[in-house]
Amino acid sequence: MLDQILRRTSEFLDEMPKSVRKKKGQFFTSRETAAFMASLFDTENLSGTVTALDPGAGTGILSAALIDRLVSENKVSDIQLVCYENDSDVLPLLRENLEYLKQNSSVKIDYKINEENYILSQSNDFEGTLFAKKNPEKYDLIIGNPPYLRIMRKSEEAESMPTVVHGAPNLYFLFAAMSLFNLKDDAEMVYIIPRSWTSGEYFKAFRNYFLYYGRLMQIHLFVSRDKVFSQESVLQETMIIKVKKTDVTPDKVVISSTQTNNDFGDIKSIGVPYDAVVNGDNLYVYLPTNDEDVRVIQVVNKYQKTLPDEGLKMHTGIVVDFRQWNELKKEPGKHTLPLFYSQNIRNGRVNHNPSGKEYDWIVDSVPGLIQKNKNYVFCKRFTAKEEKRRLQCGIYLAHDFPEYRFIGTQNKINYVDRTDKKEMSLPLTYGIFALLNSTLFDKFYRILNGSTQVNSTEINNIPVPPVEDIEEIGEQLIEADDLSTETCDSIMMGVSYNG
């Protein structure tokens, strides 16, 4: 049955321009992915009549995969399926496909297509308003591939679910939160969604809700992000999650991985302690893929404080160069200051050799665009996916540029400063560099954030050793006179790990 649905979907894709579907955040699941998602459900206790929900059903690929599995196991006698879909282009094919499933299944299938907006039609129930239903529909199984579409903070969908929205929302996490609400107690949902929800302030309210009412049972990662969606060429970093609606926390989460959506026959998996995946206060979801990753998480999470707790903070560079052309200069001169780019971070230090940019200087007449010339640790905000390190840092020392009271920093670098605005001592500056330049913290950040952007908010939430230990690390790094990662690792092993 699934193959027949996929054949029809392929014909639909040939006729519907990808650009049209992209505007809707609409991407269709491959056969292999759909079958794998359906295989994740624990069906041991299912029998008789089973209720299933497919929100954002598209052409019914996931519904077909789920029904295929339930029928093949011969455990249920009746499947009651509800699909949400309001795309007029897709609806005719969805109706045909569901009718095909009904007519060709060996078990009884009753289906309903709800053409309402999935979010808006249930938001009163979700938020518990005066208009909420007393007994909203709940389901035994929910399988979903939600739309991947950023929406405005003032959009109807975002404003209808304020419990889970903070900052810039995306439809996919609104769908995921609503689906968890739609589950029966102790029931499971399987979703394919982007990785982005696992970290960052924008998703914190969602994580608080999702991980309070549900527990992660399995996370499946794609090592390569190419062609996770067959025929779609989607480069979004994507994962499959299995979530159970329960307040009982499992001892471990299964973390599995494959190269792409076409090699589910070669799955690697490990069982990871739950607290090594889900941060205790739901700040983050870590994604370790091997025992070494688990060890890194456990070592770093032993620290009790963060940079801000220790009077330090990472900030983002101030100057957005393409907006400040009038303030930028090609050559030094009177009333100009050096402007630092990520290209000025080289071999652990910060210089002002030519950056390769057209403008390496900035005027001193706009106070909001400049900062005091004092000791900092600079860190590149962006690195290439294939680069060995995500955290690429450099020590900036004020005495290297004694002729300037102020400098400029372009916003593609981050910098660490004291929160009291005083100057960091040399040992503290070197110590912070050693932390960020170490293999331990680079691996931790990679586990935390799969993107190529170094987010200052996330760095500020990473546990760090006490400031006294950081200064001791810095003193040893100064004495070693070697800024290599190997030296940083060796010093931290002796000072920091032992704590």
Side-chain angles (χ1 to χ4, degrees), residues 6 13 18 21 26-37 61-62 144-146 148 191-195 220-241 256-264 385:
L6 285 160
L13 292 177
K18 190 179 298 183
R21 290 184 285 107
Q26 186 183 70
F27 303 100
F28 291 92
T29 320
S30 71
R31 186 197 193 290
E32 295 83 1
T33 302
F36 176 73
M37 290 173 66
I61 294 172
L62 289 178
N145 173 13
Y148 300 2
Y191 251 55
I192 182 168
I193 56 176
R195 175 175 170 157
H220 184 81
L221 305 173
F222 298 97
V223 177
S224 170
R225 61 181 183 172
D226 293 335
K227 299 181 181 177
V228 170
F229 292 96
S230 181
Q231 297 181 265
E232 300 285 23
S233 300
V234 177
L235 293 183
Q236 173 71 260
E237 287 213 69
T238 310
M239 63 168 58
I240 295 169
I241 56 172
S256 56
S257 61
T258 50
Q259 287 295 322
T260 68
N261 71 320
N262 291 320
D263 64 352
F264 287 103
K385 189 73 179 178

Side-chain angles (χ1 to χ4, degrees), residues 105-164:
S105 173
S106 59
V107 303
K108 182 182 177 183
I109 295 178
D110 292 308
Y111 69 84
K112 176 185 176 183
I113 300 176
N114 194 325
E115 297 181 27
E116 293 180 280
N117 182 301
Y118 177 61
I119 300 300
L120 298 181
S121 64
Q122 301 186 91
S123 57
N124 287 323
D125 301 336
F126 181 87
E127 293 292 340
T129 71
L130 291 174
F131 301 101
K133 299 172 187 172
K134 290 185 178 180
N135 296 299
E137 189 73 32
K138 302 291 182 177
Y139 300 87
D140 297 307
L141 304 167
I142 299 179
I143 190 167
N145 173 13
Y148 300 2
L149 189 67
R150 290 183 182 178
I151 55 177
M152 300 297 292
R153 180 63 184 84
K154 294 295 184 181
S155 69
E156 286 186 272
E157 289 87 353
E159 292 194 327
S160 72
M161 295 179 68
T163 301
V164 296

Side-chain angles (χ1 to χ4, degrees), residues 439-457:
T439 301
L440 177 69
F441 276 79
D442 187 70
K443 283 186 174 180
F444 185 87
Y445 192 79
R446 284 176 175 271
I447 297 166
L448 172 65
N449 186 324
S451 76
T452 56
Q453 180 173 346
V454 176
N455 186 296
S456 59
T457 300

Side-chain angles (χ1 to χ4, degrees), residues 223-286:
V223 177
S224 170
R225 61 181 183 172
D226 293 335
K227 299 181 181 177
V228 170
F229 292 96
S230 181
Q231 297 181 265
E232 300 285 23
S233 300
V234 177
L235 293 183
Q236 173 71 260
E237 287 213 69
T238 310
M239 63 168 58
I240 295 169
I241 56 172
K242 172 183 169 180
V243 177
K244 187 173 184 178
K245 190 171 186 177
T246 179
D247 58 3
V248 178
T249 301
D251 293 331
K252 292 189 176 184
V253 182
V254 176
I255 306 287
S256 56
S257 61
T258 50
Q259 287 295 322
T260 68
N261 71 320
N262 291 320
D263 64 352
F264 287 103
D266 184 25
I267 296 176
K268 297 178 181 179
S269 64
I270 59 171
V272 181
Y274 198 86
D275 61 3
V277 176
V278 178
N279 178 281
D281 51 11
N282 299 333
L283 274 177
Y284 300 107
V285 173
Y286 304 116

